[in-house]
Amino acid sequence: MSASVVDAEFTFELLVCRWAELAWPPGDGDSEPQATNPSDDSVVLVSRQLGTQRRRWDTIVLECDPEGLAARQTFGDRTIDSELLPIVRHAPAEWGFYRDALPDPGYDWRYVREAIHRAGARGLINKRKNGNRIEIRRKRPYPDWVRRIIAIENKPDLDASAAAALTDQLTHDVDAGLADEVWLATSRTGASVEPALLRKFPVDVGVLTFDFTDRRGAAVEADDANVDWLPSSLDTGAGSDVFDAAEKARRRRWIAERAYGKGWRSITETMRPDCRHYELRRAGRGLVPSCAAKGRCQTEAECGSRCGAFEPEPPQWRTGGWPIDGGPGKGIQRLLERRREREREN
Ligand code: SF4
């Protein structure tokens, strides 16, 4: 594998996600300066490619309260979506009419009733009919499980045009104040002053530089990051020019839930591991997808149903020692799903 593999934004992003899982927060090694939030007892969960309608973050790190996270896990592994979350959070300890218990949704209550039935079917709350009234009761309190949300923008190759486009995005992230910290992750050039520090990014944005190459190509290790610039801690509790305080809190809860359910290994849900050319390559302490037909790491976008080189796994692969319910592609999906669950339980 060549160094150019690491230049691919998608591969870089996966390696940053894996590094965050291994080593967040940055600055524990020899690099200076130290990060603003030295390690406490927070449990780290990592996700990728989610955010709001206007802005999608590449890597999301959740610093979680361990007890809160354990309590969240009792609600299951799936995201509690934005319709269910107010119901789960506000369901009373004793049976109550749902309209008395829940905040006004701002839209028709019949959609709330539908969501109550979904929440009940998923075992998130108790519900019953009392005459023609629907009553709800919580099973357990929904915990306050996220301490901080960190947004990381990945841009391995920071040329002038990429930097110009990023400036607006990072400025929006700082102004919105949804994340507690905003970072830029880029490839380390080895220059005496890294190019990222010469660009006109907001001073509140931290800069992490990575060298993800070893003699075999792409590889991630826990000590791969340098902190070249420290971020400011953003005020996520107060309203901003972009969101008022209540909307910000609502979006932060929603981002946290999405991140919890999605993780960052959901690539098998969007790519084609059932293609005969799909492989996983070891990259130090991580794994990255690779396409044997293209001879490189394929992007998430090109590895889909419209890929001209797609070929299904031959049927005999499914009988050559692989479980009856799938060939190597299924094996890859199971491997990544097991890892995703393991990280949630850590
Ligand atoms: S050939 Fe296409 S679908 Fe198959 S692994 Fe490569 S990029 Fe993905």
Side-chain angles (χ1 to χ4, degrees), residues 272 275 277-278 290-291 293-294 298 302-304 307 309-311:
R272 298 301 303 260
C275 172
H277 303 300
Y278 192 101
S290 179
C291 173
K294 298 180 188 300
Q298 68 279 46
E302 67 188 338
C303 188
C307 175
F310 172 80
E311 284 185 71

Side-chain angles (χ1 to χ4, degrees), residues 171-190:
T171 301
H172 172 80
D173 292 344
V174 170
D175 290 347
L178 283 178
D180 295 85
E181 283 177 4
V182 177
W183 291 80
L184 168 69
T186 186
S187 293
R188 193 176 310 137
T189 64

Side-chain angles (χ1 to χ4, degrees), residues 1 11-22 212 214 216-222 224 264-265 267 279-290 335-336 339 342-343:
M1 219 180 312
T11 311
F12 185 86
E13 184 172 302
L14 295 180
L15 296 178
V16 168
C17 287
R18 177 62 178 141
W19 165 83
E21 201 170 70
L22 290 169
F212 283 137
D214 70 6
R216 288 158 309 191
V220 56
E221 300 295 340
D224 277 338
W264 64 274
R265 292 185 175 86
I267 49 175
E279 297 173 351
L280 277 184
R281 280 179 191 261
R282 178 149 292 286
R285 295 184 64 188
L287 295 168
V288 291
S290 179
L335 171 72
L336 293 178
R339 290 197 172 190
R342 201 174 63 203
E343 290 306 324

